[in-house]
Amino acid sequence: MHAAQDALIHLMILAASSDSAMTEKELARITALIDRLPVFDGFDPERLEEVANACADKLNGPNGLDRVIEDAIAALPEKLQDTAYAVAVEVTAVDLHLEQEELRFLEMLRDSLTLDRLTTAAIEVAARARHRRLPD
């Protein structure tokens, strides 16, 4: 199960850093998702730094972004592809404003997964709804 959990974390890290800066909010969301989602049951939080460093090493290598995405998807059972997209969207939606780079990353991820457009749209709408705040 480590490989699938690591893959999901790699995709969340890519989502958070796709606009070249991972914010405290994004890091907090990643940690909260790891703590809360059943797919991460049994994940040792002490491994998070190791998993993040492995992602960074791959990302800094040849064809880094494509390689991390390809390796992550290859490590996931097909039934977790919607989960992969959902956690990536969840991290990018935390501030309710997506930068162009974040949108491009989500597009790349969508294109790499075998999810239909209706499923990905539903995931995106649900994430925006969960992060909305009352107007001031």
Side-chain angles (χ1 to χ4, degrees):
M1 186 52 137
H2 280 311
Q5 291 173 330
D6 290 4
L8 292 170
I9 292 168
H10 285 194
L11 292 174
M12 289 190 291
I13 290 169
L14 284 182
S17 60
S18 61
D19 59 356
S20 33
M22 186 182 309
T23 66
E24 285 298 319
K25 277 179 142 178
E26 289 166 331
L27 182 57
R29 176 61 59 184
I30 291 170
T31 304
L33 290 169
I34 292 169
D35 289 344
R36 188 178 77 225
L37 295 180
V39 74
F40 291 109
D41 284 353
F43 181 79
D44 179 2
E46 298 291 319
R47 289 190 60 244
L48 184 54
E49 186 175 345
E50 169 193 332
V51 174
N53 287 337
C55 180
D57 290 346
K58 269 190 201 180
L59 195 54
N60 292 326
N63 302 317
L65 181 59
D66 291 331
R67 183 167 169 231
V68 175
I69 292 172
E70 289 168 12
D71 289 353
I73 292 171
L76 291 172
E78 192 167 338
K79 69 179 183 177
L80 287 182
Q81 288 203 4
D82 56 352
T83 304
Y85 192 68
V87 296
V89 169
E90 189 72 23
V91 171
T92 60
V94 83
D95 60 5
L96 285 179
H97 174 74
L98 284 108
E99 298 293 336
Q100 237 3 78
E101 298 87 357
E102 292 170 313
L103 292 170
R104 178 71 186 118
F105 166 72
L106 291 175
E107 182 182 332
M108 288 176 67
L109 183 56
R110 256 194 329 263
D111 291 347
S112 300
L113 296 166
T114 59
L115 300 175
D116 62 81
R117 188 63 190 124
L118 191 57
T119 300
T120 58
I123 289 169
E124 293 163 6
V125 168
R128 280 192 303 271
R130 277 192 304 281
H131 290 280
R132 229 172 246 129
R133 298 186 184 280
L134 291 173
D136 292 333

